[in-house]
Structure formats: structure tokens, C-alpha cells
């Protein structure tokens, strides 16, 4: 089934304790679409780039069967640029530079053939922009999922609350869940956030895994303990892309199937962090994902 992904495509520069990445490609739509492409075959991206965005990056995405008809290439303008620096624990980072460039006036337009998508993932963008995308769909997708961040809670909380009413699944991290709900307990936070609109909620806890909430049910997926963590950039988007790719592949939005999707998303994210930027994700193979999913199964397998 079809999956439309809306989000940023970017140039990133990353400083980690392991060095500087130089200019690499990044952006939420880039990470999530590559990740989704390992699970689903009908993936369509809506984004905006400048004339400087490399053709070989576009070719790499097309080779993965990702439809780029919805990527607007703005002549004479520059792509979004983000520069971040990770602290030694690799869990926290500072943003050093954000140059919005073409993203500053991004007004996503769904091409005709995208409007009846089965599934929709809205990457981290302004909540008004996210809402405008939902309004362009001609049939209600089976599942609308979105990401957001503290920044929008600080400057556009009312708009964010409006958008939350229109979606089915929110994917955020623990710090964001606490800020949005004003609750320290993630169980209380989850209840309050689901009362704002989304029936399903995923709270990511970085190297400590992810929680999936629906009604009175909670599912916990660990993150795989990894020997090498090189660059966590894009891990959240990769998780979301893998999750939505698996859901689009199966077409099944039951809680039971979402549990599997959380594991597939976590497996994809565990590869993302092994090299700078999208490098490791680009070269991934199906058998590698299957093997890693088995490691997750083994990690939590116990008898009582
Ligand atoms: P994550 O590590 O999952 O938070 O995602 C990192 C990606 O988000 C990077 O590739 C950046 O290009 C992108 N990014 C950073 N800031 C923004 C922003 N304000 N809007 C859209 N994308 C952003």
C-alpha cells in the first residue's frame, strides 16, 4: 500500500566525538524514506530542496524506488542546512547552525497521484504546514502519523494541539512527551496526549528503546545494545520510516501489528547510528534487517 512522507531534505554537518562529517545529506524525509524503502514498495516523498542538492543523492533515492515527484527543486536557491554537535554521551546535542533557506517558505503541495495515499507520515515541520497536508488528501488515509519537537510546543502550542486532533499516531521522544503533557510519568503523559487526539502514541527513549501506547495497552521495545554508536542523527526519522514502511507493507493497523512495526523501526534505527549521515542506511540489505530483528527477539526472550 502507498505511503506519503512529508519532511525536510537537507545538508547536514555533524560533529561527534569521532570527528566531523563534512557536508552530508540528511533531513527527516531523506532518512525516513530510505528506511521505509526496505519494507514497502510504494513510497512518495513531498519536500523542497535548492538547486545545490546533489543529483546523485536524488538518484540514490530513485534507485530505492522512492517517488520524488513531490520534491520541489527551487532554482537559484539553497537547500536547508543544519549543523549539530553531539556531547560525549551521544545522547544530547547542540544545534550550532540552522539555515532554513528553501524550508523557510515550504508550502507542501501533494501531486494529484499522492492525494489518495493509504498512509501518511508527517515529519517534523510547523504544525500548520502538517495540517495543510492532511487537508489536501482526498480520502482519509488508514493511518496519519506525525513527528514534532519542543520548538513547536514553545512557539505554536495552539496550532500543534489543532493538528493533533486530526492525526492517529504521534511519534515523539520522552522529553517532548513530558513537555507536551506537563507530566513526568510517561504513563500519565501518554494518557493526556492521547486525549488531545492521537489514538496511538510512540514515545522514543533513545538508547533505552521505545514505548507504544493504545487505550490501556503498553508495549515496550528495547534498543539493541550496540558496540559502535557513531552518529545518532536521523535515528528518530529512521525509526519512524521503518515503522510506517512496515505498516504500509502489511496494511494492518492493529496494536499487535504495530508492536512488530516498532521492532522493525528499531532495527532500522540501530543501523542508522553506525556511520555518519545516511551512509549505513543506504547500503543496508533485507537479510541484514532480518538478522537484526532476530537479535531483538533474542534480547527479550525469557520464560517464566
Ligand atoms: P533527528 O536526529 O531524528 O532529530 O533528525 C535529524 C535531521 O533533522 C537532520 O538530518 C536535520 O537535517 C533535520 N532537521 C534539523 N532541524 C530541523 C528543522 N528545524 N526542520 C526540519 N528538519 C530539521
Amino acid at each position: 500500500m502507498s505511503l506519503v512522507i512529508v519532511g525536510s531534505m537537507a545538508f547536514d554537518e555533524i560533529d561527534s566525538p569521532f570527528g566531523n562529517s563534512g557536508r552530508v545529506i540528511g533531513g527527516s524525509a531523506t532518512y525516513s524514506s530510505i528506511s521505509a524503502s526496505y519494507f514497502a514498495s510504494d513510497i512518495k516523498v513531498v519536500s523542497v530542496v535548492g538547486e545545490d542538492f546533489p543529483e546523485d543523492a536524488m538518484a540514490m533515492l530513485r534507485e530505492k524506488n522512492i517517488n520524488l515527484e513531490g520534491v520541489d527543486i527551487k532554482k537559484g536557491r539553497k537547500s536547508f542546512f543544519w549543523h549539530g554537535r553531539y556531547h560525549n554521551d551521544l545522547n544530547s546535542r547542540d544545534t550550532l547552525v540552522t539555515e532554513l533557506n528553501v524550508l523557510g517558505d515550504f508550502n507542501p503541495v501533494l501531486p494529484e497521484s499522492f492525494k489518495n495515499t493509504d498512509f501518511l507520515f508527517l515529519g517534523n515541520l510547523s504544525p500548520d504546514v502538517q495540517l495543510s497536508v492532511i487537508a489536501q488528501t482526498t480520502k482519509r488515509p488508514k493511518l496519519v502519523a506525525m513527528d514534532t519537537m519542543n520548538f513547536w510546543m514553545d512557539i505554536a502550542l495552539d496550532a500543534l494541539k489543532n493538528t493533533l486532533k486530526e492525526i492517529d499516531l504521534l511519534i515523539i521522544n520522552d522529553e517532548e512527551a513530558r513537555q507536551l503533557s506537563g507530566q513526568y510519568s510517561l504513563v500519565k503523559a501518554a494518557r493526556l496526549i492521547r486525549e488531545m487526539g492521537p489514538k496511538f502514541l510512540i514515545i522514543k527513549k533513545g538508547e533505552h528503546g521505545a514505548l507504544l501506547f493504545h487505550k490501556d495497552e503498553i508495549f515496550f521495545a528495547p534498543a539493541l545494545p550496540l558496540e559502535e554508536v557513531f552518529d545518532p542523527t536521523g535515528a528518530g526519522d529512521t525509526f519512524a520510516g521503518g515503522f510506517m514502511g512496515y505498516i504500509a507493507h502489511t496494511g494492518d493497523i492493529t496494536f499487535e501489528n504495530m508492536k512488530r512495526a516498532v521492532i522493525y523501526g528499531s532495527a532500522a534505527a540501530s543501523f542508522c547510528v553506525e556511520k555518519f549521515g545516511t551512509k549505513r542506511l543506504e547500503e543496508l540489505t533485507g537479510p541484514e534487517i532480518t538478522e537484526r530483528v532476530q537479535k531483538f527477539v533474542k534480547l527479550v526472550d525469557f520464560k517464566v
Side-chain angles (χ1 to χ4, degrees), residues 21-51:
S21 66
R23 233 159 80 118
V24 293
I25 62 154
S28 61
T30 310
Y31 280 105
S32 49
S33 65
I34 298 175
S35 179
S37 75
Y38 290 104
F39 304 97
S41 53
D42 188 1
I43 296 159
K44 303 176 169 96
V45 170
V46 178
S47 189
V48 65
V49 293
E51 220 175 358

Side-chain angles (χ1 to χ4, degrees), residues 15-276:
D15 286 304
S16 92
F18 307 103
N20 175 282
S21 66
R23 233 159 80 118
V24 293
I25 62 154
S28 61
T30 310
Y31 280 105
S32 49
S33 65
I34 298 175
S35 179
S37 75
Y38 290 104
F39 304 97
S41 53
D42 188 1
I43 296 159
K44 303 176 169 96
V45 170
V46 178
S47 189
V48 65
V49 293
E51 220 175 358
D52 53 357
F53 201 76
E55 181 44 45
D56 59 350
M58 300 289 259
M60 176 274 294
L61 295 170
R62 277 191 214 102
E63 258 166 44
K64 298 194 178 303
N65 246 330
I66 299 168
N67 180 333
L68 301 179
E69 194 192 325
V71 178
D72 188 7
I73 304 171
K74 297 271 188 208
K75 285 239 151 44
R77 295 191 59 194
K78 285 166 73 177
S79 302
F80 173 69
F81 172 69
W82 176 81
H83 183 180
R85 180 169 55 208
Y86 285 89
H87 302 163
N88 279 340
D89 64 0
L90 283 174
N91 260 339
S92 49
R93 70 182 179 206
D94 297 321
T95 291
L96 303 181
V97 183
T98 300
E99 288 172 14
L100 286 177
N101 299 323
V102 290
L103 203 62
D105 47 14
F106 181 36
N107 185 16
V109 177
L110 295 189
E112 262 330 294
S113 63
F114 288 28
K115 289 184 175 172
N116 64 350
T117 185
D118 298 304
F119 295 94
L120 177 61
F121 175 62
L122 302 164
N124 172 31
L125 292 165
S126 114
D128 284 332
V129 169
Q130 291 173 319
L131 193 61
S132 80
V133 174
I134 300 172
Q136 291 174 53
T137 56
T138 49
K139 94 174 187 231
R140 172 76 196 172
K142 281 166 75 90
L143 191 82
V144 177
M146 73 174 243
D147 182 15
T148 188
M149 68 189 291
N150 304 47
F151 177 70
W152 304 115
M153 296 170 200
D154 291 338
I155 69 155
L157 186 59
D158 288 344
L160 177 60
K161 285 187 173 168
N162 256 337
T163 304
L164 287 177
K165 287 183 199 147
E166 304 301 325
I167 65 155
D168 306 297
L169 164 66
L170 179 66
I171 306 176
I172 50 177
N173 68 32
D174 44 359
E175 190 192 319
E176 291 157 351
R178 290 191 170 113
Q179 177 165 346
L180 183 57
S181 64
Q183 290 290 334
Y184 184 81
S185 151
L186 291 180
V187 176
K188 279 187 188 160
R191 184 166 35 78
L192 286 171
I193 292 170
R194 287 189 301 105
E195 281 168 12
M196 295 177 192
K199 294 183 288 292
F200 296 93
L201 173 68
I202 292 176
I203 301 182
K204 298 170 290 176
K205 292 160 62 68
E207 63 175 332
H208 305 297
L211 292 158
L212 167 68
F213 295 88
H214 175 62
K215 293 190 177 156
D216 293 331
E217 296 180 288
I218 306 178
F219 174 67
F220 170 68
L224 211 59
L226 295 171
E227 216 161 297
E228 303 284 355
V229 180
F230 200 77
D231 169 22
T233 308
D237 304 312
T238 302
F239 170 87
F243 178 94
M244 288 302 286
Y246 184 77
I247 293 290
H249 167 68
T250 54
D252 176 350
I253 55 167
T254 59
F255 187 74
E256 278 309 306
N257 197 51
M258 283 196 191
K259 289 184 189 177
R260 284 187 282 273
V262 167
I263 297 293
Y264 279 98
S266 303
S270 75
F271 287 105
C272 172
V273 303
E274 288 181 351
K275 287 189 182 171
F276 269 134

